[in-house]
Amino acid sequence: MRTRPLKVALLGCGVVGSEVARIMTTHADDLTARIGAPVELAGVAVRRPSKVRDGIDPALVTTDATALLKRGDIDVAIEVIGGIEPARTLITTAFEHGISVVSANKALLAQDGAALHAAAEAAGLDLYYEAAVAGAIPLVRPMRESLAGDKINRVMGIVNGTTNFILDKMDSTGAGYQEALDEATALGYAEADPTADVEGYDAAAKAAILAGIAFHTRVRLDDVYREGMTEVSAADFASAKRMGCTIKLLAILERAADGESVTARVHPAMIPLTHPLASVREAYNAVFVEAEAAGRLMFYGPGAGGAPTASAVLGDLVAVCRNKLAEAKGPGESAYTQLPVSPMGDVVTRYHISLDVADKPGVLAQVATTFAEHGVSIDTVRQQGKDGEASLVVVTHRAPDAALSGTVEALRKLDTVRGVASIMRVEGE
Amino acid sequence: MRTRPLKVALLGCGVVGSEVARIMTTHADDLTARIGAPVELAGVAVRRPSKVRDGIDPALVTTDATALLKRGDIDVAIEVIGGIEPARTLITTAFEHGISVVSANKALLAQDGAALHAAAEAAGLDLYYEAAVAGAIPLVRPMRESLAGDKINRVMGIVNGTTNFILDKMDSTGAGYQEALDEATALGYAEADPTADVEGYDAAAKAAILAGIAFHTRVRLDDVYREGMTEVSAADFASAKRMGCTIKLLAILERAADGESVTARVHPAMIPLTHPLASVREAYNAVFVEAEAAGRLMFYGPGAGGAPTASAVLGDLVAVCRNKLAEAKGPGESAYTQLPVSPMGDVVTRYHISLDVADKPGVLAQVATTFAEHGVSIDTVRQQGKDGEASLVVVTHRAPDAALSGTVEALRKLDTVRGVASIMRVEGE
Ligand SMILES: NC(=O)c1ccc[n+]([C@@H]2O[C@H](COP(=O)([O-])OP(=O)(O)OC[C@H]3O[C@@H](n4cnc5c(N)ncnc54)[C@H](OP(=O)(O)O)[C@@H]3O)[C@@H](O)[C@H]2O)c1
Ligand SMILES: NC(=O)c1ccc[n+]([C@@H]2O[C@H](COP(=O)([O-])OP(=O)(O)OC[C@H]3O[C@@H](n4cnc5c(N)ncnc54)[C@H](OP(=O)(O)O)[C@@H]3O)[C@@H](O)[C@H]2O)c1
């Protein structure tokens, strides 16, 4: 056992960072035994130096993160500031100074993962980020290492706890979107500005990271099709229930049937109540991974929160410290397949479409003809009408998204179609 | 990229080994890219050399596994023979010759894990065995590495697919044990001699391995309390349903409340239908892990089968090969806590007890007094009677197993108690 400690710079000490610091202190002996050397919190960079921070020695606190990294004795930096800058520059500075990095920053990794990985690789250092996707759930390491001898064909998951909390509330209480969002905000599950969550930006960042790892290729944030869940209504949940389904905001990453391309998307979708993801309640996350040899795996747990996220950060810290002691580095980016990312139009799935139509003879025939002309085959149709107004609910067989878009455009032009009330994809069958 | 291949000796080429060989051949390019060097199947040791083996070059086949390991050019050995000998001696021989080992052998690891780990450590080599527990499900690596910065307090899982298939059949069809076992045998889910599965030996081996990893201590096979599921009856399932429960064969590993000891046990138990483990159907496995910071995690997937098990073996192969190339080794055994394993009597849980009693006044009072005298507090009692015969179903609050055993012994001595029809633990609440 080495007695000289490994020195850690903690960049950021908010929700996640404060938990990292707390556990590093309370569980110091366990960390020492597991790493094979003591780890020491050598400095804590924050924005507001005078804020009282429980359990943090004020002498360690600094606002100059760059100077902390440059002082020459730091082995590992933990970046839990978030956002693009100064996080990106600080991580690069760390690599320039021989410091390996653990980060929880999905936004940055989704946007600049390739460049940061290249910088780590060039410096022979580690860049670990288990906490960036699905919080406490071991997912990055299992996909990158445990499944390294397998071929992942599909990943489908609930990777945003805020939206799952809102959708679960809507499902279980019949509440509308705004009411459920208000409750999530009151309980601390949604931020004051919930845009990143409810518009799917957070999930899209995680989708980009996971897609790259799953398919050993590079998937940029712009490659991920993204649709938020602010339009999901109580009526959609009623329709879903009628089909034996619920609605979840899903991140779905697929290898095309010919294996020559991949797709990555985030959108709300109906899934059957019998699907394991349907029973993921509250703010929990869960990810299904389908691999050629392994079959269907699921990983479930808390997707966020200070302590759960700190658990993932500290698992990475132990790994990076072990690598430092062994003068080795862990697996870096694996993007050798260079598979292109196909546009959303190429995605093949099923659809649930609600139309407001005129309640007169021939409407169904006209609608059915429009689907047929666009090559979209209908599975079921349900018609409900009263007082000259009617609604038509169509569930399709599997069809390319582009064909469905074409169908909807044509439907809107029919004079018997008053409006397209909702379009939702149906997954998990 | 190194061009000289890493050489692999495959020891055993049965259900698992043949899939390992197949994937190594069909996915050679992917493995090369992920490892950073080609891997070559350098020899295949079997018992019956003349057996026709699809896709295996007959020139590679040998019955002399020892000579294969000693020939001087092998980097990694994959042990998928199973059983104690010759597997144990072969693994030791491998370490003596500088060869790292990947194994799927739960029986051997549960019995001799400590000695094998010590041999690997002394030689500076890897011993990996993700496939030994819960087949394809990444569990050993997530527990050992992803949760290395956390404190695991509880592991509860379905780790045997055969028994889960049988119990699921009994639950869904009302079949008895023998009928469900016959179906499992006919469908290939149970072996001709199902003892290792139905008596819980297989699950106990996995429990010992998982407990050691979870609590960073050494848990011997003998330390694991084991009860099979051959006594579980259709009547037990009926009782379970009445309580909103089903019955599963569970492996449960717990840290004592004071943190100073651990317990490890395998037995059938009632769990609420709302518990995620209740919905694990057919031969699937799933493991719940509760950690201090991470919270409740679940890992789900196929627990056995040639291809799923090969997926886990190959994930380990990639890791071990990467370590070889980096002239490093992965994390070895971690048993520094040296926590003692407490006997079953110290386990605290709830119980469901069915008694056949005389249908006369005062019986309930007598039974209730017996529970009270042993310090076991009753949650609910249900009494059913006809024709002088009656049954009494008692569900207790949490109590030590020793107190419950004492209660049952005393109940058997009451002249109003005709017999104890069943005792089952209630978990997952
Ligand atoms: N919270 C979660 O549940 C969760 C889950 C998964 C991943 N993450 C990721 O973890 C990261 C951190 O999240 P968080 O929730 O802990 O954020 P947070 O509570 O807002 O904390 C951010 C910390 O960074 C510090 N900081 C801000 N600007 C700085 C600068 N220029 N220099 C030095 N320090 C600066 C802040 O200092 P002050 O304390 O002085 O304000 C604060 O300590 C983000 O990337 C987030 O996406 C969070
Ligand atoms: N099957 C599963 O689903 C599964 C799941 C998880 C873990 N495992 C574990 O994986 C291991 C292998 O299981 P398996 O189902 O593949 O077993 P298997 O089908 O019985 O195969 C055993 C292989 O070992 C060979 N063998 C037996 N004795 C040998 C000896 N003395 N020297 C050299 N080779 C010998 C056999 O040769 P022949 O081919 O000539 O008979 C056969 O190829 C076991 O430890 C098992 O517990 C299996």
Side-chain angles (χ1 to χ4, degrees):
Chain A
M1 176 88 63
R2 178 177 122 153
T3 52
R4 187 164 54 81
L6 287 151
K7 296 205 175 176
V8 175
L10 183 61
L11 312 180
C13 192
V15 175
V16 178
S18 60
E19 281 296 313
V20 169
R22 187 185 62 74
I23 298 172
M24 280 184 70
T25 309
T26 55
H27 291 57
D29 291 347
D30 284 313
L31 292 172
T32 301
R34 296 174 193 183
I35 290 167
V39 273
E40 179 187 311
L41 195 55
V44 180
V46 299
R47 197 173 28 190
R48 295 165 298 167
S50 51
K51 185 168 178 250
V52 178
R53 298 172 202 269
D54 266 6
I56 306 275
D57 177 356
L60 296 179
V61 175
T62 174
T63 54
D64 194 344
T66 308
L68 174 59
L69 295 173
K70 287 186 174 174
R71 69 184 218 194
D73 63 342
I74 304 298
D75 296 288
V76 183
I78 297 176
E79 185 277 301
V80 279
I81 294 173
I84 305 302
E85 284 297 351
R88 177 171 51 192
T89 303
L90 290 173
I91 292 177
T92 312
T93 304
F95 291 146
E96 284 162 8
H97 291 78
I99 300 168
S100 282
V101 174
V102 174
S103 172
N105 195 331
K106 51 219 151 197
L108 176 58
L109 282 153
Q111 182 182 305
D112 290 316
L116 293 174
H117 272 295
E121 200 68 38
L125 295 164
D126 281 326
L127 171 61
Y128 276 50
Y129 46 86
E130 182 65 79
V133 187
I137 309 174
L139 192 62
V140 171
R141 181 177 282 100
M143 282 178 55
R144 173 177 280 172
E145 302 187 38
S146 307
L147 292 167
D150 207 332
K151 186 172 182 181
I152 296 175
N153 287 321
R154 195 154 187 277
V155 177
M156 176 159 104
I158 295 167
V159 294
N160 181 277
T162 304
T163 48
N164 200 59
F165 184 90
I166 296 171
L167 291 169
D168 184 27
K169 273 285 160 267
M170 292 175 72
D171 187 37
S172 56
T173 67
Y177 166 70
Q178 190 58 48
E179 195 185 330
L181 170 61
D182 291 345
E183 184 174 349
T185 312
L187 292 171
Y189 285 112
E191 293 180 42
D193 175 1
T195 312
D197 294 319
V198 301
E199 295 295 356
Y201 291 102
D202 175 80
K206 293 164 179 168
I209 296 171
L210 285 182
I213 296 172
F215 305 128
H216 296 266
T217 189
R218 217 162 259 167
V219 177
R220 292 171 309 122
L221 192 49
D222 291 349
D223 293 330
V224 181
Y225 173 83
R226 182 193 50 76
E227 228 177 80
M229 45 73 73
T230 58
E231 307 283 302
V232 176
S233 65
D236 290 327
F237 271 101
S239 300
K241 281 218 169 100
R242 242 174 268 128
M243 285 181 64
C245 286
T246 186
I247 299 171
K248 295 291 185 188
L249 183 73
L250 298 178
I252 304 175
L253 322 168
E254 288 172 315
R255 194 186 286 277
D258 66 3
E260 299 299 316
S261 64
V262 301
T263 54
R265 52 192 166 117
V266 168
H267 55 70
M270 295 186 182
I271 54 167
L273 292 173
T274 51
H275 194 284
L277 289 179
S279 53
V280 176
R281 312 294 303 272
E282 304 188 327
Y284 275 86
N285 285 13
V287 179
F288 242 80
V289 178
E290 288 179 35
E292 200 176 80
R296 309 174 114 224
L297 305 169
M298 189 171 82
F299 304 81
Y300 166 97
T309 309
S311 170
V313 167
L314 288 165
D316 279 353
L317 178 67
V318 170
V320 169
C321 286
R322 282 173 176 166
N323 290 343
K324 278 264 167 194
L325 292 181
E327 292 174 16
K329 67 181 285 299
E333 189 190 28
S334 172
Y336 70 92
T337 63
Q338 297 182 22
L339 290 172
V341 185
S342 300
M344 189 60 192
D346 289 3
V347 165
V348 177
T349 187
R350 299 177 60 206
Y351 304 86
H352 178 283
I353 302 127
S354 298
L355 303 171
D356 295 326
V357 295
D359 190 9
K360 53 185 184 187
V363 173
L364 178 55
Q366 220 182 5
V367 166
T369 304
T370 308
F371 275 90
E373 281 169 0
H374 290 82
V376 179
S377 141
I378 291 176
D379 180 17
T380 58
V381 183
R382 206 181 57 244
Q383 208 167 358
Q384 280 169 330
K386 65 166 202 291
D387 306 333
E389 290 288 325
S391 77
L392 213 57
V393 174
V394 179
V395 180
T396 75
H397 285 296
R398 283 166 60 81
D401 215 78
L404 195 277
S405 301
T407 309
V408 169
E409 212 172 300
L411 286 171
R412 285 191 209 273
K413 288 186 189 137
L414 295 181
D415 51 8
T416 50
V417 172
R418 305 259 158 87
V420 180
S422 91
I423 309 169
M424 201 168 294
R425 296 176 187 88
V426 182
E427 303 287 341
E429 291 168 310
Chain B
M1 175 89 61
R2 178 177 123 153
T3 52
R4 185 163 56 80
L6 287 150
K7 296 205 175 175
V8 175
L10 183 62
L11 312 180
C13 192
V15 174
V16 178
S18 59
E19 281 296 312
V20 169
R22 185 185 63 74
I23 299 172
M24 280 185 69
T25 310
T26 54
H27 291 57
D29 291 348
D30 284 313
L31 291 172
T32 301
R34 296 175 193 182
I35 290 167
V39 273
E40 178 187 311
L41 195 55
V44 180
V46 298
R47 198 173 28 190
R48 296 165 297 166
S50 50
K51 187 170 178 249
V52 177
R53 297 172 203 268
D54 265 7
I56 306 276
D57 177 356
L60 296 179
V61 175
T62 172
T63 55
D64 194 345
T66 308
L68 173 59
L69 295 172
K70 287 186 174 174
R71 70 184 218 193
D73 63 343
I74 303 298
D75 296 288
V76 184
I78 297 176
E79 184 276 302
V80 279
I81 293 173
I84 305 301
E85 285 294 353
R88 177 171 52 191
T89 304
L90 291 172
I91 292 177
T92 312
T93 304
F95 292 145
E96 284 163 8
H97 290 79
I99 299 168
S100 282
V101 174
V102 175
S103 172
N105 195 332
K106 51 220 151 196
L108 176 59
L109 282 153
Q111 182 181 305
D112 291 315
L116 294 174
H117 272 295
E121 201 66 38
L125 295 165
D126 280 327
L127 171 60
Y128 274 49
Y129 46 86
E130 181 66 77
V133 186
I137 309 174
L139 191 62
V140 171
R141 182 177 280 100
M143 282 179 55
R144 174 177 279 171
E145 303 187 36
S146 307
L147 292 168
D150 206 333
K151 186 171 182 179
I152 296 174
N153 287 322
R154 197 152 186 277
V155 177
M156 177 159 103
I158 295 166
V159 294
N160 181 276
T162 305
T163 48
N164 201 58
F165 184 90
I166 295 171
L167 292 169
D168 184 29
K169 274 285 158 262
M170 292 176 72
D171 187 36
S172 57
T173 67
Y177 165 69
Q178 191 58 49
E179 195 186 330
L181 171 62
D182 291 345
E183 184 174 349
T185 312
L187 292 172
Y189 285 111
E191 292 181 43
D193 176 1
T195 312
D197 293 319
V198 300
E199 294 296 355
Y201 291 100
D202 175 79
K206 294 165 179 167
I209 297 171
L210 285 182
I213 296 172
F215 305 128
H216 296 265
T217 190
R218 218 163 257 165
V219 177
R220 291 171 311 122
L221 192 49
D222 291 349
D223 294 330
V224 181
Y225 173 83
R226 179 193 51 76
E227 231 175 80
M229 45 73 72
T230 58
E231 307 283 302
V232 177
S233 66
D236 290 328
F237 271 101
S239 300
K241 282 217 170 102
R242 240 173 269 129
M243 285 181 64
C245 286
T246 185
I247 299 169
K248 296 289 186 189
L249 184 73
L250 299 178
I252 304 176
L253 321 169
E254 288 172 315
R255 194 186 286 276
D258 67 2
E260 299 301 316
S261 64
V262 301
T263 54
R265 51 190 166 119
V266 168
H267 55 70
M270 295 187 180
I271 53 167
L273 292 172
T274 51
H275 193 284
L277 289 179
S279 53
V280 176
R281 312 293 304 271
E282 304 189 326
Y284 274 87
N285 284 13
V287 179
F288 242 80
V289 178
E290 288 179 36
E292 201 176 80
R296 308 175 115 225
L297 305 169
M298 189 172 82
F299 303 82
Y300 166 97
T309 308
S311 169
V313 167
L314 288 164
D316 280 352
L317 178 67
V318 170
V320 169
C321 288
R322 282 172 176 168
N323 290 343
K324 279 265 167 196
L325 292 181
E327 292 175 16
K329 67 182 283 299
E333 189 190 26
S334 172
Y336 69 93
T337 64
Q338 297 182 22
L339 290 173
V341 185
S342 301
M344 187 61 191
D346 289 3
V347 165
V348 176
T349 186
R350 298 178 61 208
Y351 304 85
H352 178 284
I353 302 128
S354 299
L355 303 171
D356 295 326
V357 296
D359 190 10
K360 53 185 183 188
V363 173
L364 178 53
Q366 220 181 8
V367 166
T369 305
T370 307
F371 276 89
E373 280 169 0
H374 289 82
V376 179
S377 139
I378 291 176
D379 180 16
T380 59
V381 182
R382 207 179 56 243
Q383 207 166 0
Q384 281 170 333
K386 65 166 202 287
D387 306 334
E389 290 285 326
S391 76
L392 213 58
V393 174
V394 179
V395 180
T396 74
H397 285 297
R398 282 166 60 81
D401 215 78
L404 196 275
S405 300
T407 311
V408 169
E409 211 171 300
L411 287 171
R412 285 191 209 275
K413 288 187 189 139
L414 295 180
D415 50 8
T416 50
V417 171
R418 306 259 158 87
V420 180
S422 90
I423 308 170
M424 200 167 293
R425 296 177 186 87
V426 183
E427 303 286 343
E429 290 169 309

